[in-house]
Amino acid sequence: MPGKIKLLVTEGPDKGQEFMYEDHNTFLFGRMPDCHICLPGDISVSRHHFILEVNPPDARIRDLGSLNGTHVNGKKIGGRLAHETPEEGAKRQYPEIDLHDKDKIRVGTTYFKVNIEIPPPPKEPLRCQQCGKDATFEVGSGWSGEYVCEDCRKKVEENPSDWIRGLLKALLVEQAKLQGAGDLPRIELPDYEFSKVLGVGGFGAVYLMQQKKTGKKVALKLMLPKKAADEKRRKAFLREVESSRDLKHKNIIEFYDCGSQAGVFYFLMEYCEGGSVSDLMNLRGGRLPQTEAKDTVFQALEGLAYLHEKNFIHRDIKPPNILLTAKQPKLTVKLADLGLAKNFAQAGFSGHTLTGEYAGSVAFMPPEQVSNYKFSKPPTDIWAMGATIYNMLTGNVPHDFPYGADQLTIVLHGDIVPIHRRDASIQEPLAKVIDRCLERDIGKRYQNAGELLNAMEKAWK
């Protein structure tokens, strides 16, 4: 294990309380009941005062526009001006501060002492699985497992053909072993060859592969950990992803295989030649005509309703994750990703999540996913789907995000702009359904995609 992080309350109304963290997660501190660490006895603490992200042995703190600010070792970080409301304070960006062992945090009259327990460093240095150099300095001495250094990550993303050839060669060896044991692999990846880069994101990249014999095209997604992937976490992440294999629906992208090789996780899945809804919106001038959007939304909701019926939560619905086949005259909509990025982060492979890795997703996040990004319930998907439909119809997102504003604080405190204010031509029954999806109170939203689909069918005439 990479370590533990402990916060001890040394002064204040809650003196003596102790909080221990061993897994990658985020925690909200403040006076509101929805905070993970609620400090109701300290009246100088704000409703949502600061957010703590831990990925032991790393920890990072960020003020959320509190009235009195957050102090680390006597230095004030963040805090809005005395005359500003939380919504006004959210219009400025607040810094993120890395915490260290024995640091002291003060909010109001409450003091915390930080204790970071780092296990003894491995006997051998942490070496890059690609080039073999000592990469311990990149991740710290508390980490062990498979790791790809920063230089090699860039090379894999920019020119993956060498890595893919190595992967195919290794899988050929593995295939021979399995055949010798009387067991066949689920997918014959060695029959595929690299074609082109489809896209590059915060966690890795997606490539087009083509089967040599049949010409069949598939998408290969590579995810490169920014933290060492130890065996326990690697297996846990792959088990989580494996659940996608049994999801069979015409509006869900087909998942073929997954694994890890030389410190890189790979996923083989159905390829959609039509691109994404986001691409289609760009072709249509930034938003979709209602007649075109309607069919797309209904198909996406059918796929999401199927996921919810199977007790599966998507976790990352947004226009780039809704793909389209190229079969004419009617395109088929496919929900993609299925939370790969979120699961990857939750497994602890991504470093910190609040530093921009989710920059493209914050606009589609409900408040509960900011304060606890491991939260997984159908109403969270409903908020994201509502924001996606809102974006498809208007070209805007539910929150206003002024330049330089603190996006997380806006998601937590900012007002939702009613969709009618963006576009008065949207039918009132449809606008009411979308606005209900975006309720801050989880209980007021539709509770699953089946409910939302029924409401949409009645409202969208």
Side-chain angles (χ1 to χ4, degrees):
M1 291 298 292
K4 299 178 182 178
I5 295 174
K6 180 169 63 177
L7 291 188
L8 175 65
V9 182
T10 58
E11 294 183 42
D14 299 284
K15 181 178 180 180
Q17 284 202 53
E18 186 175 287
F19 309 100
M20 180 74 76
Y21 309 108
E22 300 183 53
D23 300 313
H24 192 187
N25 210 339
T26 56
F27 301 92
L28 194 61
F29 288 65
R31 286 191 293 110
M32 293 293 286
D34 63 346
C35 292
H36 302 90
I37 311 303
C38 188
L39 304 168
D42 192 338
I43 60 173
S44 50
V45 171
S46 293
R47 295 179 297 168
H48 296 132
H49 201 105
F50 71 84
I51 193 167
L52 174 74
E53 183 177 12
V54 296
N55 189 10
D58 300 326
R60 179 169 290 183
I61 190 172
R62 173 186 187 143
D63 187 87
L64 291 172
S66 64
L67 178 60
N68 297 309
T70 301
H71 298 76
V72 177
N73 298 326
K75 183 179 179 180
K76 184 178 181 180
I77 60 166
R80 65 182 187 272
L81 301 178
H83 66 276
E84 290 180 325
T85 65
E87 291 74 21
E88 292 170 335
K91 294 178 180 178
R92 288 182 286 105
Q93 185 75 36
Y94 298 99
E96 295 176 339
I97 304 296
D98 289 323
L99 296 175
H100 306 90
D101 188 41
K102 296 182 173 58
D103 278 352
K104 295 181 180 178
I105 304 168
R106 179 176 71 82
V107 290
T109 61
T110 300
Y111 288 74
F112 299 90
K113 181 180 179 182
V114 180
N115 180 19
I116 301 178
E117 299 178 11
I118 302 177
K123 294 181 180 179
E124 298 293 331
L126 182 65
R127 296 197 177 277
C128 173
Q129 298 293 305
Q130 299 288 320
C131 67
K133 77 175 183 182
D134 185 350
T136 306
F137 70 96
E138 289 188 11
V139 294
S141 60
W143 293 87
S144 62
E146 293 185 349
Y147 180 70
V148 179
C149 72
E150 293 178 3
D151 290 339
C152 288
R153 282 206 304 271
K154 291 178 182 178
K155 291 177 182 177
V156 170
E157 290 174 350
E158 294 170 359
N159 181 22
S161 56
D162 289 341
W163 183 90
I164 291 174
R165 278 194 290 269
L167 169 65
L168 299 181
K169 183 178 179 180
L171 289 177
L172 277 172
V173 174
E174 185 64 23
Q175 182 179 2
K177 291 179 181 178
L178 290 170
Q179 288 174 333
D183 189 11
L184 293 175
R186 289 170 302 225
I187 193 100
E188 295 181 354
L189 187 59
D191 285 344
Y192 290 84
E193 60 183 358
F194 170 75
S195 182
K196 67 177 181 179
V197 179
L198 295 175
V200 178
F203 292 106
V206 183
Y207 309 95
L208 178 62
M209 303 287 288
Q210 190 164 7
Q211 194 171 37
K212 298 175 184 177
K213 295 179 181 178
T214 66
K216 178 183 178 181
K217 297 177 180 179
V218 298
L220 176 69
K221 185 165 189 173
L222 303 184
M223 300 184 82
L224 294 90
K226 295 182 180 179
K227 293 292 182 184
D230 64 53
E231 188 66 11
K232 181 179 178 181
R233 289 184 302 145
R234 185 185 70 84
K235 287 183 176 180
F237 173 59
L238 290 176
R239 278 198 305 271
E240 179 79 15
V241 174
E242 275 289 325
S243 61
S244 304
R245 186 185 300 279
D246 297 326
L247 297 172
K248 304 293 184 183
H249 188 274
K250 62 183 177 67
N251 298 121
I252 302 292
I253 197 165
E254 190 172 356
F255 184 87
Y256 299 140
D257 204 3
C258 68
S260 64
Q261 177 71 27
V264 179
F265 292 89
Y266 65 90
F267 307 89
L268 200 64
M269 59 195 73
E270 179 182 3
Y271 170 61
C272 294
E273 295 184 17
S276 70
V277 165
S278 183
D279 297 329
L280 185 61
M281 289 171 63
N282 290 334
L283 290 174
R284 301 290 190 266
R287 60 178 177 176
L288 298 183
Q290 287 194 37
T291 51
E292 189 172 16
K294 180 179 178 181
D295 183 60
T296 302
V297 168
F298 280 26
Q299 288 192 60
L301 281 173
E302 286 182 15
L304 187 59
Y306 169 81
L307 290 182
H308 289 174
E309 287 171 5
K310 296 292 183 180
N311 296 315
F312 194 96
I313 315 300
H314 188 286
R315 296 184 177 96
D316 197 18
I317 294 172
K318 55 186 178 181
N321 283 342
I322 301 177
L323 303 185
L324 307 166
T325 66
K327 296 176 181 178
Q328 297 292 346
K330 183 179 179 181
L331 295 176
T332 300
V333 175
K334 302 271 187 175
L335 289 183
D337 195 62
L338 299 186
L340 271 183
K342 290 270 187 347
N343 290 336
F344 192 71
Q346 291 168 13
F349 297 138
S350 67
H352 291 287
T353 64
L354 302 180
T355 56
E357 289 174 349
Y358 283 148
S361 298
V362 169
F364 302 94
M365 278 186 179
E368 67 270 14
Q369 269 199 314
V370 173
S371 60
N372 181 5
Y373 78 110
K374 285 194 173 184
F375 185 87
S376 299
K377 298 289 184 183
T380 294
D381 280 346
I382 295 302
W383 201 101
M385 181 58 81
T388 296
I389 300 169
Y390 188 113
N391 183 236
M392 290 166 61
L393 294 177
T394 69
N396 287 294
V397 292
H399 289 288
D400 281 329
F401 292 99
Y403 178 78
D406 191 302
Q407 293 186 337
L408 297 185
T409 307
I410 288 176
V411 173
L412 282 171
H413 298 298
D415 293 329
I416 299 294
V417 179
I419 194 168
H420 253 152
R421 197 181 302 171
R422 302 288 197 199
D423 186 347
S425 70
I426 293 174
Q427 307 160 32
E428 185 175 350
L430 176 59
K432 287 182 177 180
V433 171
I434 296 171
D435 288 343
R436 180 176 169 185
C437 292
L438 301 173
E439 287 280 357
R440 184 173 296 276
D441 185 340
I442 293 175
K444 293 181 179 179
R445 300 175 202 160
Y446 299 100
Q447 294 304 292
N448 56 61
E451 283 188 20
L452 175 55
L453 179 57
N454 289 335
M456 279 285 179
E457 290 173 341
K458 295 175 182 177
W460 203 333
K461 302 297 184 182

